[in-house]
């Protein structure tokens, strides 16, 4: 006896919905098995398994060697070489940092001792976050200095502090317009090298 038309419709819909689902499930299982085999073969050959779709490979900075990691690194200031160069201990190793946005080439001789004293008072022994600037060229693989902003736990940037204190000039970087504003503040207030005894002309 033939099924009623309504029952026949339900039977057709049921067979259509379950059949393709079984095929899709089987294909998905096959794809997972194939991916596992590929990853296993690559690891057996000493390689790394392929990254999952949408997963970015870990970033590395050859200039930092073993201390490479995320874009920002945290360390503690060991030594202030000059107002633009600082040695920071990162992951147990000293890293020489060139502070982005800080230019000391125009700091006159009469202000250099005070500029260094300011930098040491501000940074010595401080925990800092080293923040790179993606708009600047990456250091060469053989470079021994890593360019970065230095940011204190209070979120204060050493670059901004040194500029508004009047001890350095603006250097290159993503935020140069802000650096120049900091220098104008120092000039207007006759701070640092813009005041006595240097009275550097703007």
């Amino acid at each position: 006896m033939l099924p009623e038309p309504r029952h026949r419709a339900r039977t057709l819909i049921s067979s259509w919905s379950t059949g393709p689902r079984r095929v899709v499930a089987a294909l998905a299982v096959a794809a997972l098995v194939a991916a596992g085999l590929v990853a296993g073969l690559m690891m057996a050959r000493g390689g790394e398994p392929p990254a999952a779709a949408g997963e970015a490979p870990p970033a590395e900075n050859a200039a930092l060697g073993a201390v490479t990691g995320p874009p920002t690194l945290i360390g503690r200031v060991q030594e202030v070489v000059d107002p633009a160069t600082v040695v920071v201990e990162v992951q147990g190793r000293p890293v020489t940092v060139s502070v982005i946005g800080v230019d000391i080439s125009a700091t006159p001789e009469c202000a250099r001792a005070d500029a260094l004293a300011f930098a040491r008072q501000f940074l010595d022994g401080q925990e800092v976050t080293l923040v790179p600037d993606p708009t600047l060229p990456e250091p060469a693989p053989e470079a021994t200095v890593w360019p970065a902003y230095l940011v204190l736990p209070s979120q204060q940037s050493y670059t901004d502090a040194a500029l508004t204190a009047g001890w350095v000039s603006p250097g290159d970087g993503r935020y140069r317009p802000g650096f120049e504003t900091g220098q104008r503040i120092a000039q207007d207030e006759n701070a640092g090298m813009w005041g006595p005894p240097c009275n550097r002309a703007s």
Side-chain angles (χ1 to χ4, degrees):
M1 180 176 180
L2 293 175
E4 295 297 325
R6 183 178 299 175
H7 176 71
R8 182 184 302 170
R10 285 199 300 268
T11 304
L12 290 173
I13 291 172
S14 176
S15 63
W16 179 86
S17 60
T18 55
R21 285 180 183 172
R22 290 176 181 172
V23 172
V24 170
L27 289 174
V29 171
L32 288 173
V33 171
L37 289 174
V38 171
L41 287 173
M42 290 189 68
M43 294 190 72
R45 295 177 181 176
E48 294 293 332
E55 180 182 344
E60 293 189 1
N61 185 326
L64 288 184
V67 298
T68 56
T72 58
L73 298 171
I74 296 176
R76 190 168 297 278
V77 176
Q78 287 184 325
E79 177 186 4
V80 177
V81 179
D82 59 51
T85 310
V86 178
V87 179
V88 180
E89 182 181 358
V90 180
Q91 299 175 17
R93 125 173 214 197
V95 176
T96 302
V97 178
S98 173
V99 185
I100 298 174
V102 173
D103 182 1
I104 58 173
S105 62
T107 302
E109 187 65 36
C110 57
R112 291 190 178 181
D114 288 335
L116 180 58
F118 171 85
R120 286 176 172 166
Q121 182 178 8
F122 194 91
L123 292 172
D124 260 345
Q126 291 287 337
E127 182 184 89
V128 292
T129 301
L130 280 59
V131 183
D133 189 327
T135 66
L136 297 178
E138 289 189 7
E142 66 275 9
T144 58
V145 177
W146 191 46
Y149 298 101
L150 298 181
V151 182
L152 271 63
S154 64
Q155 301 302 308
Q156 187 173 14
S157 164
Y158 165 67
T159 298
D160 292 335
L163 285 165
T164 55
W167 298 118
V168 300
S169 299
D172 293 331
R174 168 74 174 80
Y175 307 104
R176 186 177 175 94
F179 303 159
E180 293 172 346
T181 298
Q183 177 175 265
R184 286 193 293 272
I185 292 172
Q187 291 171 335
D188 292 342
E189 296 181 355
N190 294 322
M193 61 183 166
W194 307 103
C198 294
N199 293 319
R200 183 183 172 213
S202 59

